[in-house]
Amino acid sequence: MALSLPLPVPQQQRTTTTSSGEIQETDIFHQFDVVSESSDHHYLDSNDSSSSKKTKDGGGDSFKNISSGVYKKIMQEWKILEKHLPGSIYVRVHENRIDLLRAVIIGVAGTPYHDGLYFFDIAFPPDYPARPPLVYYRSFGLRINPNLYANGRVCLSLLNTWPGRKSEKWDSSESTVLQVLVSIQALVLNEKPYYNEPGNGVLPGRAIWEKKSNAYSENVFFLSCKTMLFLLRRPPKNFEGFVASHFREKASVILSACNAYSNGQARVGCYRNDGSCSSGNPSTVDVSDKFKGLMGQLYPELLLGFRRNGASLGDFLGSSRCCRSR
């Protein structure tokens, strides 16, 4: 029985009420969907039809021959993603290039990545799953994690791009793209990314390491905020509406977190939507002058970017400066 590509999910809408009381309909952005546009994908020129990759189990292009093991495996991957994606990960696959997909991970609460969007372009090799997928982080030239390089390289044992025990490496009989995405979210975009760097925290002196970790997290949050601005200016294709909607919804929380972190009201990563600190420690925390200065410069740009994106920011319009108690 021949395998066929899943059809794109019909666009659905939901009714929402704006801050002014107006009722409007917005498109529902499904977690998994099939799209056709792939022109800005990092791996667009890899695995193209001109390379004429041959397979042992059917001949022809392994990505177009529905009888090939590669094609069948990718269809299995699509089904796994469609059914089991966690709520903070969204994926788009391409009907004309089944070897390509794009994923976005929403930074989770309790980390310096909270409320940010982190995009990854992924490509299946022509002998998949014998080799792991290729993964590229859309960094905008910023290094926000020891495992995510400014050139887009992703270092992860599961991708065989970082040393690790055999049990941590890619297993062609068991490993999946879903595992890759969940691993990036849990192991890379974590609470204290400073310790992802080998050697950090190994030697005695916990207080010193924690101070360095906090400083690193401050810089991560700053770079994540810069990434938000880049995404608003140049959203990845097929995610334009999602990016705009996400930052309209999260703008107030992000700006409040900027103020809380800069004022020492909460340690980076600890801010909650209700203004409290998730660490449970209400005392003022130390904040580096460098972080205050960087956020003071970036805050007006964030405010302007969110306003242009249509966010409702009534409480923030009186001041374009960060580091003021509210």
Side-chain angles (χ1 to χ4, degrees), residues 25-297:
E25 289 187 340
T26 57
D27 291 337
I28 295 176
F29 193 84
H30 298 279
Q31 280 192 266
F32 178 91
D33 205 353
V34 185
V35 296
S36 57
E37 175 62 64
S38 60
S39 61
D40 69 333
H41 199 284
H42 179 74
Y43 295 108
L44 180 65
D45 296 329
S46 67
N47 297 334
D48 60 17
S49 57
S50 62
S51 61
S52 298
K53 297 294 188 297
K54 303 293 182 179
T55 63
K56 296 180 180 179
D57 52 0
D61 189 331
S62 59
F63 301 119
K64 295 182 178 179
N65 181 1
I66 63 176
S67 298
S68 74
V70 175
Y71 187 101
K72 293 176 181 177
K73 179 61 177 176
I74 292 176
M75 291 300 102
Q76 291 174 1
E77 292 277 8
W78 284 19
K79 291 180 180 179
I80 291 172
L81 291 168
E82 186 174 17
K83 292 181 179 179
H84 301 294
L85 279 172
S88 52
I89 300 178
Y90 293 75
V91 169
R92 291 295 177 267
V93 297
H94 302 274
E95 58 183 341
N96 298 322
R97 288 290 303 272
I98 69 166
D99 56 313
L100 306 180
L101 65 86
R102 173 170 290 161
V104 60
I105 298 176
I106 302 175
V108 300
T111 75
Y113 304 99
H114 70 83
D115 300 308
L117 297 178
Y118 308 93
F119 282 88
F120 298 86
D121 284 359
I122 299 173
F124 295 105
D127 58 351
Y128 188 79
R131 287 182 293 153
L134 301 173
V135 181
Y136 172 83
Y137 169 59
R138 298 178 72 89
S139 70
F140 299 98
L142 307 175
R143 190 173 183 184
I144 63 168
N145 189 283
N147 298 75
L148 303 177
Y149 285 69
N151 64 3
R153 177 179 171 82
V154 179
C155 286
L156 193 68
S157 298
L158 186 57
L159 296 174
N160 295 345
T161 54
W162 187 257
R165 295 188 295 271
K166 185 177 180 179
S167 61
E168 299 172 338
K169 289 182 170 287
W170 182 262
D171 184 338
S172 61
S173 64
E174 295 183 1
S175 301
T176 65
V177 171
L178 177 61
Q179 290 177 336
V180 171
L181 294 174
V182 172
S183 294
I184 292 174
Q185 183 180 57
L187 303 178
V188 177
L189 304 175
N190 59 29
E191 178 185 2
K192 296 183 178 181
Y194 175 77
Y195 295 109
N196 284 19
E197 188 69 47
N200 288 352
V202 175
L203 299 176
R206 177 178 175 81
I208 296 176
W209 290 118
E210 280 297 292
K211 185 175 181 180
K212 291 183 177 181
S213 175
N214 292 336
Y216 188 88
S217 291
E218 288 180 346
N219 192 56
V220 164
F221 181 76
F222 166 71
L223 294 179
S224 292
C225 289
K226 289 192 69 174
T227 300
M228 296 174 193
L229 290 174
F230 282 122
L231 286 171
L232 284 170
R233 295 166 189 162
R234 293 162 47 196
K237 289 188 181 300
N238 303 305
F239 286 86
E240 295 92 341
F242 176 79
V243 169
S245 176
H246 174 81
F247 287 121
R248 275 196 297 270
E249 179 182 345
K250 297 295 183 179
S252 294
V253 173
I254 294 167
L255 292 173
S256 294
C258 290
N259 279 296
Y261 298 152
S262 299
N263 291 328
Q265 297 170 340
R267 195 172 302 284
V268 168
C270 292
Y271 183 80
R272 286 177 171 171
N273 291 7
D274 61 3
S276 64
C277 179
S278 62
S279 66
N281 184 1
S283 61
T284 302
V285 299
D286 291 331
V287 183
S288 69
D289 291 336
K290 177 182 177 180
F291 178 68
K292 288 182 179 179
L294 290 173
M295 293 306 301
Q297 295 174 15

Side-chain angles (χ1 to χ4, degrees), residues 259 299-300 303 314-324 326:
N259 279 296
Y299 188 85
L303 186 63
D315 292 342
F316 299 90
L317 298 183
S319 173
S320 61
R321 297 178 61 186
C322 192
C323 309
R324 286 185 175 181
R326 297 177 58 249

